[in-house]
């Protein structure tokens, strides 16, 4: 293999490029990204970057020395528009094309949006440009912020806006945020963080539409139950969709992401997928650790020309809200029972284990990082297949 194109200058794309060089690939390496920025860290965008305690230069995932060592051609501000059926030519915007021996798909995901054109003052938060625009709207002094969606991004934005002195309301369509991730009991404890810090949490209702006034600037959020919430700034965090539209007609199976085997390999030769866009062995993960851990395995299979390695990682994610570090690891099923084994929910500092038939399946911690890491390692060891 003489050339590889990484489509997506993302966290997963950067780790794939690193893995290619680390595994001995010394051919032409091209990294295509639709943003004008080299890979940067997204988690701080809703937290330290939004509050102004972290600058743009601190978000870079690779310094100048590492960029030079990768010896890659960077096509930034360039969007991939198609992939031919043989997987050897990537179509680019402006009528350009890129011929390559191997392709790593790392185009990530895009935020879901409300129907209709968004008025001024209405935001989603996924990219650095999104975060810069939102931060600019939050510097006009105290404003009324409505966050649509009480998931991790929504909760983190609400936390940051509260820290900046804004009046914040969170609207969640489900009866309680974070139930799919944490279950009813633990989701209830985490959701209480909003009230602890003066944030209004409205659940069990969706959003009908946004209202706007002079200059087409947002003035309010009309809920499905008819209530109207005054708003100067609106942030929509209702999930993401994998960025696969450019792959239509490529021959790749697309089903909530690019369908891959357990090694990240697709059914097209010399095409693998990693990160938020990849549906690996039936599961698509949207977390930082998944994006980084999939890359080495997928690249190994790309260079080998077939699936010679698989990777089964233990799901792990974290979130920082209102000064509380929330960490979760494992594979929780709806009937698993959580049990607090250290600390107290009243103090918002505890460690809880989820159990199934007396065996641990997952672990959740609020402000208990060291014991959490011990339990996470134990779960990871238990999840590894036995060797003979």
């Amino acid at each position: 293999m003489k050339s590889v194109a990484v489509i997506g200058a993302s966290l997963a794309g950067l780790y794939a490029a690193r893995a290619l060089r680390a595994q001995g690939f010394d051919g032409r390496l091209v990294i295509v990204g639709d943003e004008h920025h080299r890979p940067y860290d997204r988690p701080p965008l809703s937290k330290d970057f939004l509050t102004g305690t972290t600058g743009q230069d601190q978000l870079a995932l690779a310094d100048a020395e590492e960029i030079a060592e990768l010896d890659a051609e960077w096509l930034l501000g360039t969007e991939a528009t198609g992939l031919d059926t043989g997987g050897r030519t990537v179509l680019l915007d402006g009528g350009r094309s890129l011929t390559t021996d191997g392709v790593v798909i790392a185009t990530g995901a895009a935020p879901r949006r409300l129907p209709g054109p968004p008025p001024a003052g209405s935001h989603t938060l996924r990219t650095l440009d999104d975060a810069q625009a939102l931060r600019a709207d939050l510097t006009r002094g105290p404003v009324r912020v409505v966050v649509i969606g009480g998931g991790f991004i929504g909760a983190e934005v609400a936390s940051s806006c509260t820290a900046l002195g804004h009046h914040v309301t969170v609207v969640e369509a489900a009866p309680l945020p974070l139930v799919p991730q944490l279950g009813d009991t633990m989701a209830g404890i985490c959701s209480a963080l909003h009230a602890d810090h003066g944030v209004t949490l409205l659940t069990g209702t969706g959003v009908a539409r946004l209202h706007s006034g002079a200059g087409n600037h947002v003035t309010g959020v009309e809920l499905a139950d008819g209530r109207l919430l005054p708003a100067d700034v609106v942030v929509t965090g209702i999930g993401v969709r994998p960025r696969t539209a450019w792959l239509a007609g490529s021959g790749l199976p697309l089903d909530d992401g690019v369908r891959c085997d357990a090694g990240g390999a697709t059914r097209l030769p010399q095409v693998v997928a990693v990160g938020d866009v990849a549906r690996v062995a039936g599961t698509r993960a949207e977390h930082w650790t998944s994006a980084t851990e999939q890359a080495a395995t997928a690249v190994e299979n790309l260079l080998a020309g077939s699936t010679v390695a698989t990777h089964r990682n233990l799901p792990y994610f974290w979130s920082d809200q209102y000064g509380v570090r929330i960490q979760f690891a494992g594979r929780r099923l709806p009937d698993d029972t959580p049990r607090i084994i250290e600390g107290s929910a009243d103090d918002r500092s505890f460690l809880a284990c989820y159990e199934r038939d007396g065996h641990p399946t997952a672990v959740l911690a609020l402000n208990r990082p060291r014991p959490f890491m011990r339990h996470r390692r134990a779960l990871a060891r238990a999840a590894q297949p036995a060797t003979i």
Side-chain angles (χ1 to χ4, degrees):
M1 187 172 293
K2 295 181 179 180
S3 62
V4 174
V6 177
I7 311 303
S10 57
L11 173 73
L14 175 64
Y15 271 72
R18 287 172 172 169
L20 282 162
R21 293 307 191 203
Q23 294 181 28
F25 175 71
D26 60 1
R28 183 190 183 202
L29 174 59
V30 183
I31 302 174
V32 179
D34 63 344
E35 295 184 61
H36 290 276
H37 313 289
R38 285 202 170 97
Y40 56 87
D41 204 14
R42 294 186 192 275
L45 295 181
S46 56
K47 299 184 278 286
D48 292 345
F49 183 81
L50 200 58
T51 59
T53 57
T54 293
Q56 180 175 338
D57 56 338
Q58 296 169 280
L59 299 177
L61 289 170
D63 59 24
E65 182 179 356
E66 183 177 14
I67 293 295
E69 289 175 351
L70 282 177
D71 190 24
E73 300 173 36
W74 295 82
L75 300 181
L76 300 177
T78 300
E79 187 174 359
T81 60
L83 180 67
D84 79 345
T85 54
R88 298 301 179 92
T89 301
V90 180
L91 306 180
L92 307 175
D93 57 10
R96 296 171 293 170
S97 64
L98 175 64
T99 302
T100 181
D101 296 325
V103 176
V104 179
I105 298 172
T107 43
R112 297 185 183 276
R113 301 177 183 272
L114 297 175
S122 174
H123 302 266
T124 56
L125 182 55
R126 179 73 180 180
T127 68
L128 176 56
D129 292 343
D130 292 339
Q132 289 172 329
L134 175 57
R135 191 163 76 169
D137 267 0
L138 296 173
T139 59
R140 303 197 309 263
V143 295
R144 298 165 298 181
V145 180
V146 175
V147 178
I148 303 171
F152 291 116
I153 289 294
E156 290 171 0
V157 169
S159 172
S160 296
C161 289
T162 300
L164 291 169
H166 302 299
H167 179 273
V168 182
T169 300
V170 176
V171 179
E172 169 58 48
L176 196 65
L178 303 178
V179 169
Q181 295 86 359
L182 306 179
D184 290 336
T185 301
M186 294 298 147
I189 294 171
C190 292
S191 297
L193 292 170
H194 294 297
D196 289 351
H197 294 82
V199 172
T200 301
L201 174 62
L202 303 178
T203 60
T205 182
V207 170
R209 65 190 181 103
L210 302 184
H211 288 240
S212 59
N216 192 37
H217 196 282
V218 67
T219 58
V221 177
E222 183 179 336
L223 304 183
D225 60 15
R227 285 177 288 177
L228 180 63
L229 306 177
D232 305 301
V233 173
V234 174
V235 183
T236 301
I238 54 175
V240 299
R241 53 176 178 75
R243 299 184 61 186
T244 57
W246 69 283
L247 294 167
S250 66
L252 286 173
L254 305 176
D255 176 18
D256 186 35
V258 178
R259 289 174 54 184
C260 313
D261 64 16
T266 73
R267 75 179 189 185
L268 292 184
Q270 284 76 51
V271 178
V272 299
V274 295
D276 293 358
V277 75
R279 187 171 180 84
V280 179
T283 300
R284 191 175 64 82
E286 297 172 3
H287 302 301
W288 199 95
T289 50
S290 299
T292 61
E293 292 175 352
Q294 291 169 359
T297 300
V299 162
E300 182 178 355
N301 295 327
L302 175 67
L303 296 177
S306 63
T307 300
V308 297
T310 59
H311 178 71
R312 178 178 168 82
N313 68 312
L314 185 75
Y316 165 63
F317 59 81
W318 77 92
S319 179
D320 295 312
Q321 304 172 20
Y322 306 105
V324 175
R325 168 61 63 96
I326 301 172
Q327 295 171 285
F328 180 92
R331 294 182 173 86
R332 185 194 72 84
L333 293 180
D335 292 335
D336 293 354
T337 302
R339 180 170 60 91
I340 294 178
I341 61 175
E342 180 181 313
S344 168
D346 293 337
D347 298 331
R348 307 293 190 253
S349 176
F350 64 86
L351 182 80
C353 280
Y354 294 80
E355 297 176 344
R356 187 185 316 146
D357 299 325
H359 299 286
T361 59
V363 60
L364 168 71
L366 270 64
N367 280 347
R368 297 271 170 154
R370 288 188 178 181
F372 172 82
M373 292 306 297
R374 291 198 300 270
H375 283 264
R376 179 189 174 192
R377 287 193 294 267
L379 283 172
R381 289 194 296 269
Q384 295 301 315
T387 56
I388 300 176

